[in-house]
Amino acid sequence: MTKLRTAAVALLSASQVTNAAYNLVKDYSGQTFFDNWSYYGSFDNLTNGDIIWVDSATGSAPANPLTYINPAGNAVIKVDNTTTVPYNEKRNSVRLTSNDKIGLGTLVTFDALHVPYGCSTWGALWTKAVGDLWPAGGEIDIFEGVNLQTVNQMALHTVSGCTQAEGITQTGTTNVRSCDGNSSSGAGCTVVDPSTNSYGAPFAAAGGGMWVTEFATTGVNIWFFSRANIPSSLSGSPSSVDVSTLGTPTGSWPASSCNPAQFFKEQELVIDITLCGDWAGVKSILEATCPALTGTNTCYTTYVLDPANYATAYFELASVKIFATDPSAVSTAANTPTSTASGGSGASGTSRPNAGSRSSVNVLLGSMVLALGGAVMGL
């Protein structure tokens, strides 16, 4: 019985990763990094954050740019950290969606030097289905964190029927196995990275790192490598990537229990930062790593109005690259904003999540992530 069980687990582990070469199709880097992204251009009506995701003209405005290429040649995507926001108005930030769409048989790398962190800050690198109402068509959360939590969280979100199987070989810790966006308060099937270098100040101090996401017929796999541990096969400017050389994934969702061909449609890449909202603004989650709110103060009144709170609320990306087993798995089309709602509304009164929303947030899951992060820090 033991031998049979061991053999079965070994077979499952071997089938988790596609041992195929992915060839470079798209490279977002250098001076042209922002050329093929669309800006949201509206207030955050998706996760109830206290920000306006600016349009391209505002985002690149010379007086106070929120997206630009720095002297090192890296792309910076940031929250406005210079403007004092009047009460009942929102702070400017950025949400970018790729004009390029990826299908099955693709691999995406995010090479980052810095990720957003700080009290009230909620940043993410993720993918969403093209044209579907969430969670139909699927979502892949590659990097996501709030406030001063200590580790990154990954997740898949789908309609009912997709789960993460038992016995998966991965380095991360599974919190929730059901990927159903309508269960577990929308948490999705979540995996927490054990590495404290995967988020916040430790990530930056380590020189950043790289996330590698495989979106294949055999399943979804996410690897995270801190800067010092990035494999030589990913360093420099590789024209192809063979995932069999990458080792054990940080998070793995094989097709045996969640068939991507069934639960996922063509995906867009998304980079965004919001403030407070449905996860970072929850009092118990915020206070788990940040000073306790006093009196009638809220996440908004305590943090959003003061620009000094957002010195670390930015992405610095060396590159985003898309690889594919077949170039036809990547397509480019004109992109339009997810919402046509006008920006500039007050600090309250935004709508609930709709198309293109990210609903991986709930108090229970956030507490579990923060508790695990604290345990890791205590090792």
Side-chain angles (χ1 to χ4, degrees):
M1 179 69 75
T2 301
K3 289 182 179 180
L4 287 174
R5 185 181 298 113
T6 301
V9 171
L11 180 61
L12 177 62
S13 300
S15 66
Q16 284 177 225
V17 178
T18 302
N19 295 322
Y22 292 85
N23 299 312
L24 182 64
V25 175
K26 185 72 178 184
D27 181 352
Y28 305 88
S29 62
Q31 297 299 317
T32 61
F33 182 96
F34 295 106
D35 286 358
N36 288 290
W37 299 84
S38 291
Y39 291 68
Y40 192 73
S42 173
F43 67 89
D44 178 3
N45 60 337
L46 304 179
T47 55
N48 293 318
D50 292 312
I51 55 88
I52 296 170
W53 282 314
V54 299
D55 57 24
S56 58
T58 305
S60 58
N64 185 21
L66 302 185
T67 55
Y68 60 91
I69 305 301
N70 67 13
N74 300 324
V76 175
I77 299 136
K78 60 178 285 190
V79 173
D80 175 6
N81 67 335
T82 63
T83 304
T84 298
V85 173
Y87 180 76
N88 209 38
E89 293 188 13
K90 297 175 181 285
R91 182 166 296 280
N92 284 351
S93 185
V94 178
R95 170 172 160 142
L96 300 176
T97 303
S98 67
N99 293 343
D100 295 294
K101 327 296 181 185
I102 62 170
L104 291 175
T106 53
L107 181 140
V108 179
T109 64
F110 284 93
D111 186 345
L113 285 300
H114 191 281
V115 294
Y117 69 94
C119 297
S120 80
T121 298
W122 174 6
L125 304 170
W126 52 296
T127 78
K128 71 176 187 68
V130 177
D132 283 279
L133 292 178
W134 190 92
E139 172 184 323
I140 305 170
D141 295 335
I142 300 164
F143 161 82
E144 188 169 20
V146 297
N147 303 326
L148 296 175
Q149 72 179 53
T150 58
V151 289
N152 176 45
Q153 172 186 295
M154 298 153 283
L156 303 188
H157 302 268
T158 66
V159 295
S160 177
C162 168
T163 62
Q164 187 191 49
E166 300 280 352
I168 297 304
T169 300
Q170 61 180 22
T171 62
T173 300
T174 297
N175 274 344
V176 179
R177 292 200 179 276
S178 172
C179 305
D180 184 357
N182 295 309
S183 67
S184 300
S185 300
C189 42
T190 59
V191 173
V192 176
D193 195 318
S195 171
T196 56
N197 285 351
S198 65
Y199 183 74
F203 178 89
M210 181 181 291
W211 285 276
V212 181
T213 303
E214 181 185 34
F215 180 41
T217 56
T218 53
V220 175
N221 294 290
I222 301 175
W223 291 261
F224 170 70
F225 302 102
S226 190
R227 182 66 56 192
N229 300 322
I230 294 177
S232 58
S233 60
L234 293 172
S235 300
S237 302
S239 59
S240 64
V241 175
D242 184 345
V243 296
S244 66
T245 67
L246 302 184
T248 302
T250 310
S252 185
W253 299 263
S256 58
S257 59
C258 184
N259 183 1
Q262 177 183 354
F263 291 100
F264 287 84
K265 294 185 178 180
E266 193 176 40
Q267 301 280 299
E268 301 167 314
L269 310 183
V270 184
I271 304 169
D272 76 74
I273 314 170
T274 192
L275 304 177
C276 300
D278 294 333
W279 187 8
V282 175
K283 187 173 186 291
S284 60
I285 299 302
L286 183 65
E287 293 183 347
T289 55
C290 294
L293 303 178
T294 59
T296 59
N297 288 342
T298 64
C299 179
Y300 172 75
T301 56
T302 302
Y303 296 106
V304 175
L305 308 182
D306 186 354
N309 294 317
Y310 300 107
T312 58
Y314 67 93
F315 285 104
E316 182 182 357
L317 300 175
S319 68
V320 177
K321 297 181 180 181
I322 302 174
F323 299 78
T325 55
D326 184 329
S328 65
V330 181
S331 62
T332 302
N335 204 18
T336 56
T338 309
S339 169
T340 57
S342 60
S345 68
S348 61
T350 55
S351 64
R352 292 299 303 161
N354 50 42
S357 70
R358 185 173 71 257
S359 239
S360 62
V361 295
N362 64 87
V363 175
L364 173 62
L365 179 59
S367 299
M368 292 162 58
V369 172
L370 291 166
L372 178 59
V376 171
M377 287 293 284
L379 291 178

